[in-house]
Amino acid sequence: DPTYPYETKHNPHGPDEPLYDADLPVPELESSRERALTAKIDWHVVPTLTILYLLAFLDRVNISNAQTFGLLTDLKLKNTEFNTALTIFFVPYVIFEIPANLLLKKFKPHVWLSGCMFVFGLVTLCQGLVQNYSGLLATRFFLGLAETGMFPGCFYLIGMWYRRAQAQKRFTFFFSSATLAGAFGGLLASAIGKMDGMRGYRGWRWIFILEGVLTCVVALVWFFAISNFPEDAKWLTTSERNYIRARLQADVGHAALERRTNFQDIIGFFKDWKVILGWLMYFGLIVPAYGYAYFSTTIIKTYGYGNIQSESDEHVLRVEERSARG
């Protein structure tokens, strides 16, 4: 195993402070060993978070599939009430994102992320049991509240495992799960929609109930599968854990649990022009993406297709669209 001189090196910042870039030599590993370690991290970290985001995205946009199976008529929605139900999701989702990331550092990631996953799965299930417009608004609000810590939390956790140059590919793979959910969500809904009338429930209710149950079950498994920060990962050896910690410190400064967020960090974040530019870029990306995800089934249905046909045709269009993007 490599030696780690930072464990005994004099610390110019004080005995209780972490060492920083120039102070901290990173041990050399053979390229084959480093590739093997990176592959090990990939296997333990990325797939679970990718599936988590896939189910989260599926749960937030399945309302577009449900509305073609009778949600509007059963709940007697009129005028802009359906659009309001879609929009209210984003109110808590935006407001509580930063506090949710702070809570991620208070709880272990496997507890926080699997807990959020179970709650938004449960809320999705409850969405299939609502009886009026008020109930739909309430469930959509709490769905946004439950999902608020999931997306930034996953990004934050991935960033705590990889150097910045390595993390980009993992972020891309993680975000691609939304594409997968959008591509096949319509096909899944068309299959579930055929249960219309079973046990006295309309097809749109079964879409929420079954997808919510699936999310809750996966959340229970993910409680044991989601990895924590490198400092707490039990599937790493001590030398591997130390190497990852040193590599992260040399790349960005502090390790995950040693870096404290203060008020100056928050102010600096909002003053960074790159952050503002990123906001604008993401806004331009996400508005048409959600517009398509929420209203494509309605648009296709205006062409005269029935529920199953519109879902199936939507599925074909989404797969073709995603293939063209890829």
Side-chain angles (χ1 to χ4, degrees):
D1 288 344
T3 57
Y4 299 92
Y6 64 87
E7 293 180 347
T8 57
K9 182 179 176 66
H10 171 68
N11 190 343
H13 308 292
D16 297 326
E17 294 294 325
L19 292 169
Y20 292 90
D21 307 337
D23 310 312
L24 184 62
V26 180
E28 293 289 338
L29 279 184
E30 296 177 6
S31 59
S32 59
R33 292 185 63 191
E34 184 167 8
R35 284 197 301 270
L37 177 57
T38 301
K40 185 177 181 180
I41 296 171
D42 287 341
W43 178 252
H44 283 85
V45 175
V46 179
T48 53
L49 300 183
T50 301
I51 294 174
L52 191 160
Y53 186 54
L54 185 152
L55 293 175
F57 194 84
L58 191 63
D59 286 351
R60 77 178 65 164
V61 302
N62 58 11
I63 190 173
S64 65
N65 299 316
Q67 63 97 8
T68 64
F69 285 95
L71 181 146
L72 299 181
T73 55
D74 286 359
L75 299 185
K76 298 180 176 59
L77 302 184
K78 56 185 182 298
N79 299 327
T80 60
E81 289 180 342
F82 179 71
N83 293 340
T84 302
L86 297 180
T87 305
I88 199 173
F89 168 90
F90 295 99
V91 175
Y93 190 86
V94 172
I95 293 175
F96 294 102
E97 271 194 335
I98 294 177
N101 261 11
L102 298 178
L103 287 174
L104 176 65
K105 298 182 71 172
K106 298 295 183 181
F107 298 95
K108 291 183 182 296
H110 82 278
V111 174
W112 175 249
L113 293 176
S114 64
C116 289
M117 188 180 187
F118 184 84
V119 173
F120 69 68
L122 184 62
V123 174
T124 300
L125 188 157
C126 293
Q127 210 169 195
L129 304 176
V130 299
Q131 301 298 322
N132 50 46
Y133 174 58
S134 299
L136 181 64
L137 283 182
T139 53
R140 290 294 296 178
F141 179 88
F142 286 109
L143 183 64
L145 182 63
E147 288 198 19
T148 187
M150 181 275 312
F151 182 79
C154 289
F155 259 59
Y156 182 79
L157 182 58
I158 292 174
M160 292 299 99
W161 279 96
Y162 298 97
R163 289 185 298 230
R164 284 168 289 183
Q166 293 177 315
Q168 302 308 313
K169 292 181 179 179
R170 281 75 186 178
F171 289 148
T172 301
F173 184 81
F174 167 80
F175 197 72
S176 68
S177 60
T179 300
L180 190 62
F184 295 99
L187 185 64
L188 178 62
S190 67
I192 298 175
K194 294 179 180 179
M195 298 174 62
D196 189 31
M198 186 177 295
R199 301 282 183 177
Y201 289 135
R202 294 293 305 277
W204 68 268
R205 294 188 183 275
W206 282 116
I207 292 174
F208 288 132
I209 291 171
L210 293 184
E211 292 182 4
V213 168
L214 173 63
T215 301
C216 289
V217 171
V218 174
L220 295 176
V221 178
W222 260 217
F223 178 83
F224 303 98
I226 294 176
S227 297
N228 293 315
F229 295 119
E231 293 89 341
D232 301 318
K234 296 180 180 179
W235 45 270
L236 292 174
T237 65
T238 301
S239 60
E240 290 172 337
R241 191 179 299 113
N242 289 337
Y243 174 76
I244 294 170
R245 183 180 179 183
R247 186 178 66 178
L248 178 64
Q249 285 181 313
D251 188 48
V252 298
H254 288 75
L257 296 183
E258 293 174 332
R259 181 67 172 92
R260 294 181 179 179
T261 302
N262 53 44
F263 185 72
Q264 287 71 25
D265 292 329
I266 298 175
I267 297 299
F269 173 82
F270 285 104
K271 287 183 177 180
D272 191 341
W273 67 268
K274 297 186 294 297
V275 173
I276 298 175
L277 179 61
W279 285 351
L280 295 175
M281 292 172 62
Y282 189 66
F283 184 82
L285 167 71
I286 210 66
V287 168
Y290 273 112
Y292 185 80
Y294 281 136
F295 299 108
S296 57
T297 53
T298 304
I299 294 171
I300 294 173
K301 196 173 181 180
T302 61
Y303 295 154
Y305 295 105
N307 294 338
I308 302 300
Q309 285 179 302
S310 65
E311 295 290 348
S312 300
D313 289 344
E314 177 210 6
H315 163 69
V316 172
L317 288 175
R318 285 188 178 182
V319 171
E320 290 177 348
E321 176 200 4
R322 267 56 178 198
S323 299
R325 284 186 189 177

